[in-house]
Amino acid sequence: MEKENILLRVRNITKSFPGVIALDNMSLQVREATVHVLMGENGAGKSTLMKILIGLYEKDSGEIFFDGKPLDTSSISKVLSQGISMIYQELNPIDSMTVAENIYCGKEPCYVKNLWVNQKKMIEDTARLFEQLDVKNIDPSRKVKELSIAQKQLVEIVKAIANESKMIIMDEPTSAITEDECQHLFRTIRRLKKEGITFIYISHKMEEIFQIADEVTVMRDGKHVGTDQIDKLSRDIIVKMMVGREITDVYPKEKVAMGPEVMAVRHLSAKDAFMDVNFSVKKGEILGFAGLMGSGRTEVAEALFGCRRIDQGDIFIHDQKVDIISSNNAIRQNIAFLTEDRRKTGCFMGLTVYDNIMTLRWKKHRGKIGIKHAECRKSCEQQIQKFSIKTTGMNQKMQDLSGGNQQKVLLARWLLCDPEILILDEPTRGIDVGSKYEIYQDMMSLVKNGKSIIMISSELPEILGMSDRILVMHEGKVSGILNRDEADQETIMKLASGITA
Amino acid sequence: MGTNNSKKNFSLKVKKWVTDERTGALLLFIIVCVILMFTTDTFLTLRNLTNLTRYASFYVMVGVGVLVIFMSGEMDLSLGATMGMSGIMSAMLARDGQPLIVVLAVGIFFGILIGAFNGYLVGYWTFPAFIATLGCKQMIRGLITVITEGYPINDLSESFTYIGTGSFLGIPIPIYIAIFLAVLTWYILNKTVFGRHVVATGANAQAAIVSGINTKRIKLFSYMYGGALAGIAGMVLTARVTSGQVNCGDGFELDAIAGAIIGGASMEGGSGTVIGTICGIMVIYTVKNGMSLLSINAYWQQVAQGAIILLAIFLDIIRKKQRS
């Protein structure tokens, strides 16, 4: 093993952002022509490390050696020219350009340097690369917007190869593709590995790690926890390394007595989003929504909350047919909606915790001469206590809170309205393990108090751990509804990827 | 059932034609022309068409510059003022009898300078383009008044006024200049590395950044290019009216922006064509020309011009909806 060259050597990297230390003396060694998997909870610092490697962030201190030389990370184009490419989780295609233009973006072949781009050569070179890499069914002159997510991802890989990369970093590449496409991706990775290309592969999915990894490094709280060869590791060891303690009870799930049906949805359809969706939620129930990205889960939630037009179908609340055509209607029907993108559609980052919690309540606290702030402060203080939000006070800016605490603020905001039905879209995305647990506890105490929860999540363990029933979507349709005791990862994945067994 | 379907298909097709960025403006242009052919006797005369095209050519010069800035995902409200500054500067030099080449070089230089100022603020300091260029516009208009003390600059050299008043083979020189700049812009956007990077920056800035493109510099250069073209337009317009006017180019940027949007450019960047922009500007000027020919009162003309700008933005919104 010692003969193998170490291609990348990261030594004692530290990086801090205002209020957080993202990387704390992190070191990493990656051998040439291997697949090195990087694991860790959300917020462990994987992405930050990768962004430093690729030149998006500047490191505070530490050294990086690549291919025997110090790596110049002063700009992305410098890093690219030294042979490192990254494929981002949220793929970055330029939709209005062709496949070939995307692949050669930033390094266009020219007739006359810079003055005359050679489109023909671009397309020919792309076709040749496709042939080498056994990519079929993609026409280099097609617009990227016409491709599927898996195809776009292939385009990004080909782009990295076109860049003559020695090392390719992939950030959760399989989060949005089907099992078949995933296997094709793995074949591509293995083929490239044989040709001497090194991969850093960030993933959360245990199954695929054992299929693809040569070595695994686990990070926690910005620190290096351990690196080992895959055959010396087991699932349990990795989880233990990631979490830092034995986890016996990750999900505080308890049996809760269920009441009558609170909400029922019949034949709900919306153009280009979902079709003929049927389900119901009982009082005290947690209904999980599983499915791949783009399967229509969020769209259904938006429709229930009046943010998306419904073309067909009915929504019943307490057996009464209701028309929900705006979020105002939904709130009046006692529905709450915690959106999946905290930054974009949840928080007012520049405003205070106070403003963020009270957003929906100003009307209720109106006096003769304006808002009664004393009253508001009291109820805000109560919410901060109740949800144990870690903040310096209600006047702290939202942007200075951690992700978990921001999420708690949003939950506190909604619960001031005393909703009956809560739609939680990816409630624990991007927050640390501790806060996750607290959010699960909050969910449990809500259902105990007779609320109903619809929880959309891409994390299968969370779905399995928290839901009473699980609705699985595939390409806009409900592919199955499973009871808690009949659900497992495999069954859900099969339903989610449209495999009818 | 069959006829109903084909009717539906037909109306879908029409809708697609009108809103498609490649055909929409051309179609509108043809419709306006046909209407004017039947409602006036003078529209189709050579004299009127020459006038119309010459008038529109100034806007095309600015419009293709606007297009490049739009493509990079930004906008510029100071281009009219840039025209004014370049016009005044060149007029002062032309009055003093400087050689034509010096006059032109200085005029273009001022255009690039103002563009660089805007581009630096927007690209490197991440000023919102709307505010930055609006502020810049006010500053320049103020400076022009300071420099000229409010008086027009007359007695320009003949070699200079020729670029605005002269003609070659019966076609006015400004039209040649506009065509040259349009072709140049088309070439830059489609064939040069810079142009492709402008499109990439406007279409998906994040993707451009991770492809190693220096998007700040791309924005800076886009503004500089737009400024240079506005500078040229300002000089040619000054030469055309044979006098350096304080309000030269006033409001040009709005019509140029409206033209580009009618022609399919998106304010969000990454889409738009030179030919569409030209068609869009022709639509605006044919309507203006038509209203004059039909002797519609000038105040109503202004109302119509405002409506055209709103129409342009309406089209942009419809296109955006169709895309998503």
Side-chain angles (χ1 to χ4, degrees), chain B residues 82-313:
Chain B
T82 308
M83 286 175 70
M85 182 56 101
S86 287
I88 288 294
M89 284 300 164
S90 58
M92 277 163 51
L93 293 171
R95 181 190 57 195
D96 298 346
Q98 296 288 343
L100 184 63
I101 189 83
V102 174
V103 177
L104 296 182
V106 169
I108 294 177
F109 170 77
F110 270 92
I112 293 176
L113 188 71
I114 297 168
F117 180 72
N118 282 323
Y120 197 73
L121 290 184
V122 173
Y124 286 81
W125 285 96
T126 63
F127 276 45
F130 183 85
I131 311 287
T133 57
L134 195 63
C136 185
K137 170 191 161 162
Q138 297 285 28
M139 278 169 50
I140 298 165
R141 282 284 171 213
L143 281 176
I144 291 172
T145 327
V146 170
I147 293 166
T148 60
E149 295 172 335
Y151 295 109
I153 295 160
N154 295 319
D155 305 323
L156 309 184
S157 68
E158 236 167 69
S159 64
F160 179 69
T161 53
Y162 180 77
I163 62 168
T165 54
S167 58
F168 178 70
L169 300 175
I171 298 172
I173 301 283
I175 297 178
Y176 288 107
I177 296 175
I179 291 173
F180 171 74
L181 292 180
V183 172
L184 180 70
T185 306
W186 174 84
Y187 180 84
I188 287 177
L189 280 178
N190 291 289
K191 295 290 172 186
T192 66
V193 169
F194 166 70
R196 297 323 291 166
H197 289 183
V198 168
V199 177
T201 301
N204 186 341
Q206 198 58 34
I209 290 170
V210 300
S211 299
I213 295 172
N214 185 341
T215 55
K216 295 173 186 170
R217 196 161 60 200
I218 293 291
K219 285 185 178 173
L220 173 65
F221 285 176
S222 300
Y223 272 101
M224 284 164 72
Y225 182 76
L229 261 53
I232 293 172
M235 287 190 289
V236 181
L237 185 61
T238 302
R240 165 74 191 147
V241 298
T242 65
S243 159
Q245 297 284 335
V246 179
N247 63 353
C248 163
D250 199 21
F252 263 61
E253 67 278 355
L254 287 182
D255 282 342
I257 287 171
I261 293 176
I262 293 177
S266 161
M267 288 205 277
E268 293 187 342
S271 67
T273 57
V274 169
I275 193 77
T277 303
I278 294 174
C279 287
I281 286 168
M282 290 308 287
V283 168
I284 295 177
Y285 286 94
T286 317
V287 171
K288 281 191 182 180
N289 175 255
M291 288 191 297
S292 298
L293 294 179
L294 293 166
S295 358
I296 292 171
N297 143 346
Y299 302 136
W300 278 110
Q301 286 194 24
Q302 202 179 354
V303 173
Q305 283 169 30
I308 289 175
I309 292 175
L310 294 187
L311 171 77
I313 293 167

Side-chain angles (χ1 to χ4, degrees), chain A residues 56 76-77 80 88 92-94 96-97 101 105-108 110 114-117 119 145 159, chain B residues 187 190-194 196-197 199-201 203-204 206-213 270 323:
Chain A
L56 271 171
I76 297 177
S77 53
L80 288 173
Y88 299 83
N92 267 315
I94 301 167
S96 55
M97 287 187 155
E101 282 177 323
C105 186
K107 47 187 176 295
E108 294 80 357
C110 292
N114 285 334
L115 282 184
W116 193 0
V117 175
Q119 299 271 2
K145 63 179 153 208
K159 182 174 173 177
Chain B
Y187 180 84
N190 291 289
K191 295 290 172 186
T192 66
V193 169
F194 166 70
R196 297 323 291 166
H197 289 183
V199 177
T201 301
N204 186 341
Q206 198 58 34
I209 290 170
V210 300
S211 299
I213 295 172
R323 269 196 298 269

Side-chain angles (χ1 to χ4, degrees), chain A residues 298 375 458 477 492:
Chain A
T298 298
E375 228 175 81
S458 297
K477 289 187 185 124
I492 294 178

Side-chain angles (χ1 to χ4, degrees), chain B residues 15-56:
Chain B
K15 203 173 156 195
K16 220 179 145 195
W17 260 72
V18 175
T19 51
D20 190 297
E21 51 187 57
R22 278 160 304 190
T23 49
L26 186 63
L27 204 69
L28 264 174
F29 178 52
I30 293 169
I31 292 169
V32 173
C33 286
V34 170
I35 293 172
L36 288 177
M37 268 164 59
F38 287 110
T39 51
T40 68
D41 327 322
T42 42
F43 177 70
L44 264 191
T45 58
L46 187 64
R47 194 185 143 85
N48 184 52
L49 289 182
T50 311
N51 261 333
L52 166 66
T53 324
R54 178 166 49 203
Y55 196 41

Side-chain angles (χ1 to χ4, degrees), chain A residues 478-498:
Chain A
V478 176
S479 49
I481 298 183
L482 305 165
N483 280 322
R484 183 175 175 78
D485 45 16
E486 61 186 3
D488 56 45
Q489 296 224 355
E490 202 182 341
T491 329
I492 294 178
M493 271 326 284
K494 270 185 183 158
L495 287 169
S497 43

